[in-house]
Amino acid sequence: MTTPKIKITYFDIEGAAEPVRLAFVLAGVPFEDDRIKFPEWGELKPKTPHGTVPVMTIDDGPMKTQSGAMLRYAATLDK
């Protein structure tokens, strides 16, 4: 099984995405940690589902939302 290309987009703070980030790190799963600054949020918000972050993209597919679901997904990738 090949490791998917994963990108997490969230503010540059600890928050809803932090458990997901930590789960990927602890599982040894590579991912892109796209940390946005608050001034960038106004431009990005209309491009996200439901106008919220965090969002996760897998293999450049559509954005996924809901940090709890992201965390469960991360658990399935544990080596």
Side-chain angles (χ1 to χ4, degrees):
M1 180 173 135
T2 62
T3 303
K5 179 183 169 191
I6 301 168
K7 178 180 174 181
I8 301 288
T9 303
Y10 192 64
F11 298 112
D12 191 15
I13 61 170
E14 293 178 7
E18 195 66 12
V20 181
R21 292 172 179 149
L22 291 173
F24 284 136
V25 169
L26 291 172
V29 176
F31 70 102
E32 180 182 346
D33 190 6
D34 181 24
R35 294 179 182 242
I36 60 173
K37 305 292 182 197
F38 286 106
E40 300 168 353
W41 175 232
E43 182 181 333
L44 181 62
K45 184 175 181 175
K47 299 174 186 174
T48 63
H50 317 295
T52 62
V53 286
V55 293
M56 178 171 62
T57 55
I58 303 167
D59 292 330
D60 297 318
M63 291 181 180
K64 310 288 186 189
T65 60
Q66 302 297 323
S67 59
M70 292 177 201
L71 190 56
R72 287 188 295 278
Y73 174 74
T76 69
L77 299 177
D78 190 12
K79 296 177 182 180

